[in-house]
Coordinates of all heavy atoms in Angstrom, one line a residue:
Q140 N 10.8 16.0 5.8 CA 10.6 16.3 4.4 C 11.5 15.4 3.5 O 12.1 15.9 2.5 CB 10.8 17.8 4.1 CG 9.7 18.7 4.5 CD 8.4 18.5 3.8 OE1 8.4 18.9 2.6 NE2 7.4 18.0 4.4
R141 N 11.6 14.2 3.9 CA 12.4 13.2 3.1 C 11.4 12.1 2.7 O 10.6 11.6 3.5 CB 13.5 12.6 3.9 CG 14.7 13.5 4.2 CD 15.7 12.9 5.2 NE 15.9 11.5 5.0 CZ 16.4 10.7 5.9 NH1 16.5 11.1 7.2 NH2 16.6 9.4 5.7
G142 N 11.5 11.7 1.4 CA 10.6 10.8 0.8 C 10.4 9.5 1.6 O 9.2 9.1 1.9
Q143 N 11.4 8.8 2.0 CA 11.3 7.6 2.7 C 10.5 7.7 4.1 O 9.7 6.9 4.4 CB 12.7 6.9 3.0 CG 12.6 5.7 3.8 CD 14.0 5.1 4.0 OE1 14.9 5.1 3.1 NE2 14.3 4.6 5.2
M144 N 10.8 8.8 4.8 CA 10.2 9.0 6.1 C 8.7 9.5 5.9 O 7.8 9.0 6.6 CB 11.0 10.0 6.9 CG 12.4 9.6 7.1 SD 13.3 10.6 8.4 CE 12.6 9.9 9.9
I145 N 8.4 10.3 4.9 CA 7.1 10.7 4.7 C 6.2 9.5 4.2 O 5.1 9.3 4.6 CB 7.0 11.9 3.7 CG1 7.5 13.1 4.4 CG2 5.6 12.0 3.1 CD1 7.4 14.4 3.5
S146 N 6.8 8.7 3.4 CA 6.1 7.5 2.8 C 5.7 6.6 4.0 O 4.6 6.1 4.1 CB 7.0 6.8 1.9 OG 6.3 5.6 1.3
A147 N 6.7 6.4 4.9 CA 6.3 5.5 6.1 C 5.2 6.1 6.9 O 4.3 5.4 7.4 CB 7.6 5.4 7.0
A148 N 5.3 7.5 7.1 CA 4.3 8.2 7.9 C 2.9 8.0 7.3 O 1.9 7.7 8.0 CB 4.6 9.6 8.1
V149 N 2.7 8.2 6.0 CA 1.4 8.2 5.4 C 0.9 6.8 5.2 O -0.3 6.5 5.3 CB 1.4 9.0 4.1 CG1 1.6 10.4 4.3 CG2 2.4 8.4 3.0
R150 N 1.9 5.8 5.1 CA 1.4 4.4 5.1 C 0.9 4.0 6.4 O -0.1 3.2 6.5 CB 2.6 3.5 4.6 CG 2.9 3.6 3.1 CD 4.2 2.9 2.8 NE 4.1 1.5 3.0 CZ 5.1 0.6 2.8 NH1 6.3 1.1 2.5 NH2 5.0 -0.6 3.0
F151 N 1.5 4.5 7.5 CA 0.9 4.4 8.8 C -0.4 5.0 8.9 O -1.4 4.5 9.4 CB 1.9 4.9 9.9 CG 1.4 5.0 11.2 CD1 1.3 3.9 12.0 CD2 0.9 6.2 11.8 CE1 0.8 3.9 13.3 CE2 0.5 6.3 13.1 CZ 0.4 5.2 13.8
G152 N -0.5 6.3 8.4 CA -1.8 7.0 8.4 C -2.9 6.4 7.7 O -4.1 6.6 8.1
L153 N -2.6 5.5 6.7 CA -3.6 4.8 6.0 C -4.3 3.8 6.9 O -5.4 3.3 6.6 CB -3.1 4.1 4.7 CG -2.7 5.1 3.6 CD1 -1.9 4.3 2.5 CD2 -3.9 5.7 3.0
K154 N -3.6 3.4 7.9 CA -4.2 2.3 8.8 C -4.8 2.9 10.1 O -5.4 2.2 10.9 CB -3.1 1.3 9.2 CG -2.4 0.6 8.1 CD -3.4 -0.4 7.4 CE -2.8 -1.2 6.4 NZ -1.8 -2.2 6.9
V155 N -4.6 4.2 10.4 CA -5.1 4.8 11.6 C -6.6 4.9 11.6 O -7.2 5.2 10.5 CB -4.5 6.3 11.6 CG1 -5.2 7.1 12.7 CG2 -3.0 6.3 11.9
P156 N -7.3 4.5 12.7 CA -8.7 4.6 12.8 C -9.2 6.0 12.4 O -8.5 7.0 12.7 CB -9.0 4.2 14.2 CG -7.8 3.5 14.7 CD -6.7 4.0 13.9
K157 N -10.4 6.1 11.8 CA -11.0 7.3 11.4 C -11.0 8.4 12.5 O -10.8 9.6 12.2 CB -12.3 7.0 10.8 CG -12.9 8.2 9.9 CD -14.1 7.8 9.2 CE -14.6 8.9 8.3 NZ -15.8 8.5 7.5
E158 N -11.4 8.0 13.7 CA -11.5 8.9 14.8 C -10.2 9.6 15.1 O -10.3 10.7 15.8 CB -12.2 8.3 16.0 CG -11.3 7.1 16.6 CD -11.7 5.8 16.1 OE1 -12.3 5.7 15.0 OE2 -11.5 4.8 16.7
L159 N -9.1 9.1 14.7 CA -7.8 9.8 15.0 C -7.3 10.7 13.9 O -6.4 11.4 14.1 CB -6.7 8.7 15.3 CG -6.9 7.8 16.6 CD1 -5.8 6.8 16.7 CD2 -6.9 8.7 17.8
L160 N -8.0 10.7 12.8 CA -7.6 11.5 11.6 C -7.5 13.0 11.9 O -6.6 13.7 11.4 CB -8.4 11.2 10.4 CG -8.2 9.9 9.8 CD1 -9.2 9.7 8.6 CD2 -6.8 9.8 9.2
P161 N -8.4 13.5 12.8 CA -8.3 15.0 13.1 C -6.9 15.3 13.7 O -6.5 16.5 13.5 CB -9.5 15.2 14.1 CG -10.5 14.2 13.7 CD -9.7 13.0 13.3
E162 N -6.3 14.4 14.4 CA -5.0 14.7 15.0 C -3.9 14.7 13.9 O -2.9 15.3 14.1 CB -4.6 13.6 16.0 CG -5.5 13.6 17.2 CD -5.0 12.7 18.3 OE1 -3.8 12.9 18.7 OE2 -5.7 11.9 18.9
L163 N -4.2 14.2 12.7 CA -3.2 14.2 11.6 C -3.5 15.3 10.6 O -2.7 15.5 9.7 CB -3.2 12.8 10.9 CG -2.9 11.6 11.8 CD1 -2.8 10.3 11.0 CD2 -1.5 11.8 12.5
K164 N -4.6 15.9 10.7 CA -5.0 17.0 9.8 C -4.0 18.1 9.8 O -3.7 18.7 8.7 CB -6.4 17.5 10.2 CG -6.9 18.7 9.3 CD -8.2 19.2 9.7 CE -8.6 20.4 8.9 NZ -9.9 21.0 9.4
Q165 N -3.4 18.3 10.9 CA -2.4 19.4 11.0 C -1.2 19.2 10.1 O -0.4 20.2 9.8 CB -1.9 19.6 12.5 CG -1.2 18.3 13.0 CD -0.8 18.3 14.4 OE1 0.0 19.1 14.8 NE2 -1.3 17.4 15.2
F166 N -1.0 18.0 9.6 CA 0.2 17.7 8.8 C -0.1 17.8 7.2 O 0.8 17.6 6.4 CB 0.8 16.4 9.1 CG 1.1 16.2 10.6 CD1 0.3 15.3 11.4 CD2 2.2 16.9 11.1 CE1 0.6 15.2 12.7 CE2 2.5 16.7 12.5 CZ 1.7 15.9 13.3
L167 N -1.3 18.1 6.9 CA -1.7 18.1 5.5 C -0.9 19.2 4.7 O -0.5 18.9 3.6 CB -3.2 18.4 5.3 CG -4.2 17.3 5.8 CD1 -5.6 17.7 5.6 CD2 -3.9 16.0 5.0
D168 N -0.7 20.3 5.3 CA 0.0 21.4 4.7 C 1.4 20.9 4.2 O 1.9 21.1 3.1 CB 0.1 22.6 5.6 CG 0.4 23.9 4.8 OD1 0.7 23.8 3.6 OD2 0.3 25.0 5.4
D169 N 2.2 20.3 5.2 CA 3.5 19.8 4.9 C 3.5 18.7 3.9 O 4.5 18.7 3.0 CB 4.2 19.3 6.2 CG 4.5 20.4 7.1 OD1 4.8 21.6 6.7 OD2 4.7 20.2 8.4
L170 N 2.5 17.8 4.0 CA 2.5 16.7 3.0 C 2.2 17.2 1.6 O 2.9 16.8 0.6 CB 1.4 15.7 3.4 CG 1.6 14.9 4.7 CD1 0.5 14.1 5.1 CD2 2.9 14.0 4.5
V171 N 1.3 18.1 1.5 CA 1.0 18.7 0.1 C 2.2 19.5 -0.4 O 2.5 19.4 -1.6 CB -0.3 19.6 0.2 CG1 -0.5 20.3 -1.2 CG2 -1.5 18.7 0.5
A172 N 2.9 20.2 0.5 CA 4.1 20.9 0.1 C 5.2 20.0 -0.5 O 5.8 20.3 -1.5 CB 4.6 21.8 1.3
F173 N 5.3 18.9 0.2 CA 6.3 17.9 -0.3 C 5.9 17.4 -1.7 O 6.7 17.3 -2.6 CB 6.4 16.8 0.7 CG 7.3 15.6 0.2 CD1 8.7 15.7 0.5 CD2 6.8 14.6 -0.6 CE1 9.6 14.6 0.0 CE2 7.6 13.6 -1.0 CZ 9.0 13.6 -0.8
M174 N 4.6 17.1 -1.8 CA 4.1 16.5 -3.0 C 4.3 17.5 -4.2 O 4.6 17.1 -5.3 CB 2.6 16.1 -2.9 CG 2.1 15.3 -3.9 SD 0.5 14.6 -3.5 CE -0.5 16.0 -3.1
K175 N 4.1 18.8 -3.9 CA 4.2 19.8 -4.9 C 5.6 20.0 -5.4 O 5.8 20.3 -6.6 CB 3.7 21.1 -4.4 CG 3.5 22.2 -5.4 CD 2.9 23.5 -4.8 CE 2.7 24.6 -5.8 NZ 2.1 25.8 -5.3
S176 N 6.6 19.8 -4.6 CA 8.0 20.0 -4.9 C 8.7 18.8 -5.3 O 10.0 18.8 -5.5 CB 8.7 20.8 -3.8 OG 8.7 20.0 -2.6
N177 N 8.1 17.6 -5.3 CA 8.8 16.4 -5.6 C 8.0 15.5 -6.5 O 6.7 15.6 -6.5 CB 9.0 15.6 -4.3 CG 10.1 16.2 -3.4 OD1 11.3 16.0 -3.5 ND2 9.5 17.0 -2.4
S178 N 8.6 14.7 -7.3 CA 8.0 13.7 -8.2 C 8.6 12.4 -7.9 O 9.7 12.0 -8.4 CB 8.2 14.1 -9.7 OG 7.6 13.2 -10.5
C179 N 7.9 11.6 -7.0 CA 8.4 10.3 -6.6 C 7.3 9.4 -6.2 O 6.1 9.8 -6.1 CB 9.4 10.5 -5.5 SG 8.8 11.3 -4.0
L180 N 7.6 8.2 -5.8 CA 6.6 7.2 -5.4 C 5.9 7.6 -4.2 O 4.8 7.3 -3.9 CB 7.3 5.8 -5.2 CG 6.4 4.7 -4.9 CD1 5.3 4.4 -6.0 CD2 7.2 3.4 -4.6
T181 N 6.6 8.4 -3.3 CA 6.0 8.8 -2.1 C 4.7 9.6 -2.4 O 3.7 9.4 -1.6 CB 6.9 9.8 -1.3 OG1 8.1 9.0 -1.0 CG2 6.3 10.3 -0.1
N182 N 4.6 10.3 -3.5 CA 3.3 11.0 -3.8 C 2.2 10.1 -4.0 O 1.0 10.4 -3.7 CB 3.6 11.8 -5.1 CG 4.5 13.0 -4.8 OD1 4.9 13.3 -3.7 ND2 4.8 13.7 -5.9
H183 N 2.4 8.8 -4.5 CA 1.3 7.9 -4.6 C 0.8 7.6 -3.2 O -0.5 7.5 -3.1 CB 1.9 6.6 -5.2 CG 2.4 6.8 -6.6 ND1 2.2 5.8 -7.6 CD2 3.0 7.8 -7.3 CE1 2.7 6.2 -8.8 NE2 3.2 7.4 -8.6
H184 N 1.6 7.4 -2.2 CA 1.1 7.1 -0.9 C 0.4 8.4 -0.3 O -0.6 8.2 0.4 CB 2.3 6.7 0.0 CG 3.0 5.5 -0.4 ND1 4.3 5.3 -0.3 CD2 2.5 4.3 -0.8 CE1 4.6 4.1 -0.8 NE2 3.5 3.5 -1.1
I185 N 0.9 9.5 -0.6 CA 0.3 10.8 -0.1 C -1.1 11.0 -0.6 O -2.0 11.2 0.2 CB 1.1 12.0 -0.4 CG1 2.5 12.0 0.3 CG2 0.4 13.3 0.0 CD1 3.4 13.1 0.0
I186 N -1.3 10.7 -1.9 CA -2.7 11.0 -2.4 C -3.7 9.9 -1.9 O -4.9 10.2 -1.7 CB -2.7 11.1 -4.0 CG1 -2.5 9.7 -4.6 CG2 -1.8 12.2 -4.5 CD1 -2.9 9.7 -6.1
Q187 N -3.1 8.7 -1.6 CA -4.0 7.7 -1.0 C -4.4 8.2 0.4 O -5.6 8.0 0.8 CB -3.3 6.4 -0.9 CG -3.0 5.7 -2.2 CD -2.2 4.4 -2.0 OE1 -2.4 3.7 -1.1 NE2 -1.2 4.2 -2.9
F188 N -3.5 8.8 1.1 CA -3.7 9.3 2.5 C -4.7 10.4 2.4 O -5.6 10.5 3.3 CB -2.4 9.7 3.1 CG -2.6 10.3 4.5 CD1 -3.0 9.4 5.5 CD2 -2.2 11.6 4.8 CE1 -3.2 10.0 6.8 CE2 -2.3 12.1 6.1 CZ -2.8 11.2 7.1

Side-chain angles (χ1 to χ4, degrees):
Q140 287 290 292
R141 288 169 44 204
Q143 179 178 318
M144 299 193 78
I145 286 183
S146 181
V149 293
R150 287 170 66 185
F151 171 79
L153 287 169
K154 299 291 185 69
V155 167
K157 195 170 183 178
E158 60 268 22
L159 291 178
L160 286 176
E162 296 192 50
L163 301 183
K164 179 183 174 182
Q165 60 183 300
F166 304 110
L167 291 180
D168 201 350
D169 288 336
L170 291 173
V171 173
F173 175 89
M174 192 167 60
K175 187 175 180 179
S176 59
N177 292 273
S178 176
C179 58
L180 182 61
T181 299
N182 291 355
H183 295 216
H184 296 139
I185 293 176
I186 69 163
Q187 291 176 40
F188 180 61

